[in-house]
Amino acid sequence: MLNKYARGFFTRVLTPFAAMLLRWGVSPDAVTLIGTAGSVAGALVFFPRGEFFWGTITITLFIFSDLVDGNMARQAGRSSKWGAFLDSTLDRVADAAIFGGLAMWYAGKGDNNVLCAVAMFCLASGQVVSYTKARGESLGFPVNVSGLVERAERLVISLVAAGFAGLHKFGVPYIEWLLPVALWVVAVGSLVTVAQRMLTVRRESAELEAAGAVKGGE
């Protein structure tokens, strides 16, 4: 849902900024690399120290590069398979840093092994969600399902909750509980999404085999 509606809105908003970067001679790949580096730094510098508000602000500023680089490539007529590969690969790196940073907090001063495990599960399941679709498509299946929680949903739920939870340090009471709730929601949603994609590939595989059997019988 977020990919369908929010991405289109922010793409239109960021188009002038993308055009300006092109005029300055900045390449889409450079924006991708800088955005990933900033997101990783924000997650691994702030989150393990419990600075969720400032970590979220930093990550959010850089994560919009995921929309800017593709916009730049389209405007310049330089969309390529390499750019798509680089963008997708570095997205996984940024995701791992975000949930890894949260896991480090709960493994350290956050002192909660259960939530550390949940954060690690979010990290792993997010990678598997992406893998199931990529692997299915590489085998020739359309994988016609998005699933309950895709990357956009995982990031929005986790970062919004982390940002608000960080307000606890500014004196807002009880709000720190938003982050544990969000992690559980993302964990369960990711598990459901993996199951949805696996069942979809299983169905598509069975349909393809059945079609082949019918054709062979003719």
Side-chain angles (χ1 to χ4, degrees), residues 67-91:
L67 300 175
V68 175
D69 54 6
N71 194 316
M72 292 172 64
R74 286 189 295 274
Q75 288 191 49
R78 285 188 277 166
S79 297
S80 65
K81 291 183 177 180
W82 159 250
F85 172 81
L86 179 66
D87 186 56
S88 181
T89 300
L90 293 184
D91 281 349

Side-chain angles (χ1 to χ4, degrees), residues 129 132 145-150 154 186-199:
V129 165
T132 51
V145 62
S146 295
L148 182 64
V149 176
E150 294 187 278
R154 290 197 303 273
V186 170
V188 173
S190 297
L191 182 61
V192 170
T193 304
V194 169
Q196 287 176 303
R197 291 188 173 182
M198 291 182 69
L199 290 172

Side-chain angles (χ1 to χ4, degrees), residues 14 31-68 90-105 151-152 154-164 179 183:
L14 294 171
V31 172
T32 302
L33 291 167
I34 293 170
T36 301
S39 297
V40 169
L44 297 183
V45 170
F46 292 102
F47 282 179
R49 294 158 46 196
E51 296 287 348
F52 299 127
F53 179 79
W54 295 115
T56 298
I57 294 297
T58 302
I59 293 167
T60 301
L61 290 174
F62 282 99
I63 215 163
F64 277 106
S65 67
D66 191 43
L67 300 175
V68 175
L90 293 184
D91 281 349
R92 307 287 85 75
V93 173
D95 292 358
I98 290 169
F99 290 106
L102 293 173
M104 290 169 67
W105 162 252
R151 182 175 188 255
R154 290 197 303 273
L155 290 180
V156 169
I157 293 169
S158 303
L159 292 177
V160 168
F164 277 111
L179 182 54
L183 288 175

